[in-house]
Amino acid sequence: MWLTWRAATERALYGEDGFYLRERPSGHFRTSVSASPAFAGAVLALLSKVDAELGGPDVLDLVDIGAGEGTLVTQVLAAAEPALRDRLRVTAVDLSPRPEGLPERVAWRRSVPTGITGLAIANEWLDNVPLDVAEQTAAGPRLIMVNIRTGEERLGDPPEPDDRAWLDRWWPLTRVGSRAEIGRPRDEAWASVLGRLTRGRAIAVDYAHLVDNRPLCGTLTGYRDGAVVAPIPDGTCDITAHVALDACAEAGRGAGAISTTLSTQRDALRALGITGTRPPIDRARTDPRGYIRALARASEEGELIDPAGLGGFGWLSQRR
Ligand SMILES: C[S@@+](CC[C@H](N)C(=O)[O-])C[C@H]1O[C@@H](n2cnc3c(N)ncnc32)[C@H](O)[C@@H]1O
């Protein structure tokens, strides 16, 4: 069967018995959340900032969108001071079933709640929002159709006017044979998050590109069992593509964001106290166990802010 990439990916990841309904993300790839609890520590620091910005409301929301196994909210809850923890309303949003062992006070939902006052965070969610792929031909852009069994591709119809407008604005295709991933569904997904935020911040963290530096042939990639594989939309692998985070930022503004910061994870985490600094060597003599622990922690922090890896991810932060 031949489908557009968006329809094929929707079916492969979230359809009946789709990849994400069956599998747990940590079995297939590493995210900042699975790399180190230091990431949750930074999110907790951010949550405390948002709490202060909001004047310490009686109920403070923490909403994790694309929560996967619920690890981030579980770790934030465990590390929070009781005075903050008692005021937290924690919601994990994912299309997959509620993970076993998730703390009872974490609500598990398939859609983003309305009326959020606090922090909404989406780590590696937008890259899994399915999208269409267009290829430039001598007669203009055409959608790519994909065979859902083999991954074979062929040209389909020209994109709809809204998609065409998105390409012209955010990912102009100049050369014949060049390809773009049409990020409109992600813009809409992100705008809907801002629309559900009453007051506070929404943060999207993902591998990203900006309009001046889009990849010539797109970034569609498959992951299975920790390895990169061909992105065949047959339900056996994750299918992901980098995020046009600048376009999402614009959509967020349109949905009511009053401020926008687009930075790297490295800069964002350093501002939250993640430095990767190694403990002083003297400590190895006075407190060998503490030294080893601090060294391990420094190495995890180093991974989170490595500019060639997770540190190079984009952080989009918007306020309402
Ligand atoms: C790459 S995983 C990230 C998991 C986790 N945030 C982490 O950083 O480890 C993406 C998750 O987003 C979820 N997801 C994708 N689209 C979604 C949607 N429209 N609504 C809710 N969850 C979605 C998937 O089911 C998957 O668990």
Side-chain angles (χ1 to χ4, degrees):
M1 179 162 52
W2 293 84
L3 293 174
T4 69
W5 266 106
R6 184 179 180 188
T9 307
E10 189 72 50
R11 191 173 185 276
L13 298 186
Y14 312 115
E16 197 186 335
D17 204 31
F19 179 83
Y20 273 112
L21 273 52
R22 228 180 42 238
E23 303 283 336
R24 288 302 181 194
S26 59
H28 296 275
F29 47 81
R30 195 168 166 85
T31 66
S32 295
V33 173
S34 54
S36 171
F39 187 77
V43 170
L44 176 57
L46 187 59
L47 184 63
S48 304
K49 268 191 179 186
V50 173
D51 184 39
E53 285 165 5
L54 296 175
D58 292 343
V59 177
L60 180 70
D61 280 308
L62 171 62
V63 180
D64 183 6
I65 306 163
E69 283 140 277
T71 309
L72 177 63
V73 287
T74 303
Q75 290 177 344
V76 170
L77 262 178
E81 294 291 333
L84 178 65
R85 190 169 56 225
D86 293 348
R87 289 186 293 114
L88 281 181
R89 180 168 62 186
V90 184
T91 309
V93 180
D94 208 286
L95 298 173
S96 61
R98 182 185 177 97
E100 274 176 34
L102 193 70
E104 253 176 46
R105 56 173 296 190
V106 177
W108 187 264
R109 306 173 37 118
R110 285 178 61 90
S111 59
V112 180
T114 53
I116 301 168
T117 298
L119 175 64
I121 184 158
N123 187 60
E124 293 202 36
W125 168 52
L126 290 172
D127 67 276
N128 275 137
V129 173
L131 36 59
D132 274 328
V133 179
E135 182 172 315
Q136 184 69 356
T137 70
R142 300 265 299 273
L143 290 181
I144 301 285
M145 308 296 290
V146 59
N147 182 308
I148 62 166
R149 306 253 171 270
T150 62
E152 195 188 337
E153 294 181 331
R154 67 184 187 205
L155 290 175
D157 292 334
E160 296 293 322
D162 284 351
D163 283 344
R164 183 69 200 253
W166 191 94
L167 287 172
D168 290 344
R169 167 72 180 87
W170 292 108
W171 196 327
L173 286 169
T174 43
R175 292 193 212 168
V176 169
S178 61
R179 283 181 168 213
E181 289 131 10
I182 307 172
R184 205 165 57 82
R186 291 158 177 199
D187 296 0
E188 287 169 1
W190 186 245
S192 86
V193 172
L194 265 293
R196 288 167 159 80
L197 183 66
T198 303
R199 279 177 69 219
R201 287 203 214 185
I203 314 260
V205 182
D206 235 305
Y207 26 98
H209 42 57
L210 304 178
V211 70
D212 289 333
N213 204 15
R214 304 279 188 228
L216 194 60
C217 290
T219 58
L220 215 55
T221 308
Y223 283 95
R224 187 190 305 125
D225 301 330
V228 172
V229 296
I232 297 174
D234 59 0
T236 64
C237 62
D238 182 27
I239 293 174
T240 162
H242 291 29
V243 181
L245 218 42
D246 44 359
C248 296
E250 186 67 26
R253 278 190 213 100
I258 57 165
S259 82
T260 298
T261 309
L262 199 45
S263 61
T264 62
Q265 168 149 306
R266 180 178 176 82
D267 289 346
L269 288 188
R270 282 164 71 101
L272 293 167
I274 302 284
T275 62
T277 308
R278 295 160 69 102
I281 188 77
D282 293 355
R283 193 165 166 200
R285 267 186 290 107
T286 55
D287 174 16
R289 284 176 170 218
Y291 176 77
I292 298 287
R293 271 199 306 276
L295 204 55
R297 165 85 182 199
S299 133
E300 288 178 8
E301 290 191 2
E303 182 181 355
L304 292 178
I305 59 174
D306 176 3
L310 293 170
F313 274 37
W315 268 57
L316 168 61
S317 172
Q318 297 192 299
R319 275 180 67 177
R320 284 203 76 167

